[in-house]
């Protein structure tokens, strides 16, 4: 039986922190394909939160299908106001 060790790693650029929980990753590669300058599995550390603007990192992290990548603080939901 294989046990995946539950660890959490944090990568901060001072504005936002990428939270990485490898035991949740399903290896879709969405992060590495979508924003390779930040998410590079061949590099250590593999997440460089200084390699792109915060908004680009945020937009990529929320696309992670497994929840292995999340944000701290969590992204705010935008409230759309009806037009007059
Ligand atoms: S997008 Fe999420 S599930 Fe896919 S490889 Fe990256 S961390 Fe893993």
């Amino acid at each position: 039986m294989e046990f995946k060790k539950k660890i959490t790693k944090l990568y901060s650029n001072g504005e936002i922190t990428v939270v990485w929980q490898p035991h949740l990753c399903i290896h879709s590669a969405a992060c590495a394909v979508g924003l390779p300058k930040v998410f590079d599995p061949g590099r250590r550390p593999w997440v460089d939160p200084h390699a792109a603007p915060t908004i680009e990192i945020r937009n990529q992290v929320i696309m992670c299908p497994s929840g292995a990548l999340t944000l701290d603080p969590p992204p705010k939901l935008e409230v759309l106001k009806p037009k007059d």
Side-chain angles (χ1 to χ4, degrees), residues 20 24-32 46 63-69:
W20 163 236
L24 298 178
C25 182
I26 58 172
H27 308 290
S28 70
C31 54
W46 80 285
M63 299 289 285
C64 175
S66 69
L69 291 174

Side-chain angles (χ1 to χ4, degrees), residues 1-58:
M1 181 182 290
E2 181 184 338
F3 291 97
K4 287 189 176 180
K5 193 174 178 183
K6 293 183 179 179
I7 60 172
T8 300
K9 294 198 172 186
L10 306 177
Y11 304 93
S12 178
N13 66 4
E15 291 183 330
I16 200 168
T17 299
V18 176
V19 181
W20 163 236
Q21 298 179 87
H23 60 283
L24 298 178
C25 182
I26 58 172
H27 308 290
S28 70
C31 54
V33 171
L35 199 56
K37 55 192 174 187
V38 173
F39 303 101
D40 180 353
R43 183 183 61 208
R44 292 295 176 268
W46 80 285
V47 179
D48 180 357
H50 300 281
T54 293
I55 188 66
E56 289 185 27
I57 297 171
R58 176 240 187 237

